[in-house]
Amino acid sequence: MDLYLMRHGIAHEPHEWNGSEFDRPLTDEGLERTRAVTKALKKEQQLELDAVWTSPLVRARQTAEIVADVLGAKLRECKAQEPGAKVKALETAFA
């Protein structure tokens, strides 16, 4: 199994966001750049995925939705990837 890790796209800065940290979304630029980078990877045939796993945080999910859509992969939400999760939970999720 190959595992690729990707950080979420550009999100609103915490001091500019009035909502919860969990709900802090990508900026318009973050959405656009995530889509552009993923399309470039697809065009260059550098990335082929079966599934995209994401934490439930809004900005992570937005990023994962774009990647899954562009690359035609399944999207899977994994609570074991959210902040504060234990390594054992990740081991179980990816076993």
Side-chain angles (χ1 to χ4, degrees), residues 5-27:
L5 300 177
M6 180 178 188
R7 185 160 168 83
H8 60 74
I10 301 167
H12 287 275
E13 292 294 331
H15 66 275
E16 298 172 344
W17 175 249
N18 293 325
S20 72
E21 181 64 12
F22 184 92
D23 293 327
R24 189 164 53 94
L26 298 181
T27 62

Side-chain angles (χ1 to χ4, degrees), residues 52-67:
V52 176
W53 291 71
T54 182
S55 83
L57 274 70
V58 170
R59 59 192 172 276
R61 183 160 182 96
Q62 287 176 306
T63 301
E65 286 172 347
I66 292 168
V67 174

Side-chain angles (χ1 to χ4, degrees), residues 45-78:
Q45 300 177 345
Q46 294 180 19
L47 192 61
E48 193 173 305
L49 305 175
D50 296 318
V52 176
W53 291 71
T54 182
S55 83
L57 274 70
V58 170
R59 59 192 172 276
R61 183 160 182 96
Q62 287 176 306
T63 301
E65 286 172 347
I66 292 168
V67 174
D69 178 56
V70 171
L71 298 178
K74 295 176 189 171
L75 181 64
R76 299 181 190 260
E77 186 174 291
C78 179

